[in-house]
C-alpha cells in the first residue's frame, strides 16, 4: 500500500499551537483496507473542536486536489463524515443517510481521489432525500439532485466500505485502466 497524497493542511486551516492539532490527512490508494470498512456512527457532541478541524482539513484537501467530495476513511480517519462541494459551496455531512431515492436512474462519469485519473460511468438515482448533521450540530433534511446527489451517494458509499468500481464489470474496468495509463 502506498500513500498517493500526504499534506499538512493545519496551517492553511488556521490551526494555532493553542488548539488541538489534527494529524495531517493521508489519502490512500484503492488497496487501503480502510476503504472497505464500514465507518462507525459519530456519537460525540457537536460542535466539537476536533470535528471542526477535521472538516476544515478535509475541505482544504478536497479543494487542493480538485475533488468534489472526500470521505474521512479516504484520509485514514475512522469517522462517519464526508465533505462535498465546490469553491462556491461546501458542506460537511456527519452520520449521513438516504431517506428516499428517485426511481429514475442517470448514468454519468465519476472519478475518485483514491483512484487518480480513473473514470467510470456509474448509474445513480437522479435525486435523493437525505439527512445528516453538519459540523455545527445542526440536523439537516434536504433533497439533492444532479451532481450534488451523485457526490453525496459516492461519498456515502465510501463510509459504507463500497468502492465506486463495484458498480461496473470487468470490461469497463479494463477500458478505464487503459485510459488511465
Amino acid at each position: 500500500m502506498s500513500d498517493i497524497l500526504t499534506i499538512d493542511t493545519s496551517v492553511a486551516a488556521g490551526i494555532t499551537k493553542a488548539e488541538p492539532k489534527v494529524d495531517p490527512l493521508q489519502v490512500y490508494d484503492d488497496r487501503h483496507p480502510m476503504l472497505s470498512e464500514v465507518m462507525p456512527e459519530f456519537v460525540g457532541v457537536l460542535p466539537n473542536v476536533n470535528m471542526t478541524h477535521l472538516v476544515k482539513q478535509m475541505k482544504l484537501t478536497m479543494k487542493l486536489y480538485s475533488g468534489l467530495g472526500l470521505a474521512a476513511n479516504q484520509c485514514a480517519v475512522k469517522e462517519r463524515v464526508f465533505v462535498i462541494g465546490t469553491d462556491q459551496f461546501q458542506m460537511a455531512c456527519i452520520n449521513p443517510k438516504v431517506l428516499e431515492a428517485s426511481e429514475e436512474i442517470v448514468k454519468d462519469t465519476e472519478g475518485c481521489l483514491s483512484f487518480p485519473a480513473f473514470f467510470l460511468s456509474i448509474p445513480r438515482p437522479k435525486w435523493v432525500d437525505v439527512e445528516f448533521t453538519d459540523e455545527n450540530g445542526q440536523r439537516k433534511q434536504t433533497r439533492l439532485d444532479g451532481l450534488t446527489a451523485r457526490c453525496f451517494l459516492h461519498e456515502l458509499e465510501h463510509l459504507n466500505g463500497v468502492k465506486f468500481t463495484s458498480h461496473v464489470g470487468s470490461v469497463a474496468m479494463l477500458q478505464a485502466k487503459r485510459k488511465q495509463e
Side-chain angles (χ1 to χ4, degrees), residues 1-138:
M1 280 165 262
S2 61
D3 307 25
I4 56 170
L5 306 172
T6 304
I7 62 169
D8 183 349
T9 55
S10 61
V11 174
I15 297 172
T16 66
K17 292 188 186 303
E19 297 171 322
K21 185 176 183 321
V22 178
D23 290 334
L25 300 179
Q26 298 177 342
V27 180
Y28 290 95
D29 69 17
D30 69 302
R31 296 164 296 191
H32 193 273
M34 198 177 290
L35 291 179
S36 298
E37 291 180 35
V38 176
M39 293 297 102
E41 290 283 316
F42 175 78
V43 293
V45 176
L46 294 169
N48 168 307
V49 70
N50 290 329
M51 182 61 78
T52 299
H53 292 306
L54 174 62
V55 166
K56 267 188 197 179
Q57 286 190 314
M58 289 174 65
K59 286 178 179 179
L60 285 166
T61 301
M62 178 180 70
K63 182 179 176 182
L64 221 83
Y65 292 96
S66 303
L68 296 175
L70 183 65
N73 56 330
Q74 286 180 278
C75 307
V77 176
K78 287 191 177 194
E79 292 287 359
R80 195 158 183 83
V81 58
F82 63 74
V83 295
I84 59 174
T86 63
D87 286 343
Q88 293 77 33
F89 168 79
Q90 296 175 345
M91 65 185 204
C93 301
I94 301 166
N95 296 335
K97 295 178 181 137
V98 172
L99 303 174
E100 189 175 347
S102 156
E103 289 184 22
E104 183 179 350
I105 302 296
V106 177
K107 203 169 189 180
D108 205 352
T109 303
E110 289 184 23
C112 181
L113 290 176
S114 294
F115 296 77
F118 194 77
F119 300 95
L120 296 168
S121 185
I122 306 294
R124 301 239 185 237
K126 184 176 181 174
W127 57 262
V128 288
D129 290 338
V130 300
E131 180 178 89
F132 61 92
T133 303
D134 69 15
E135 67 269 36
N136 299 313
Q138 298 297 309

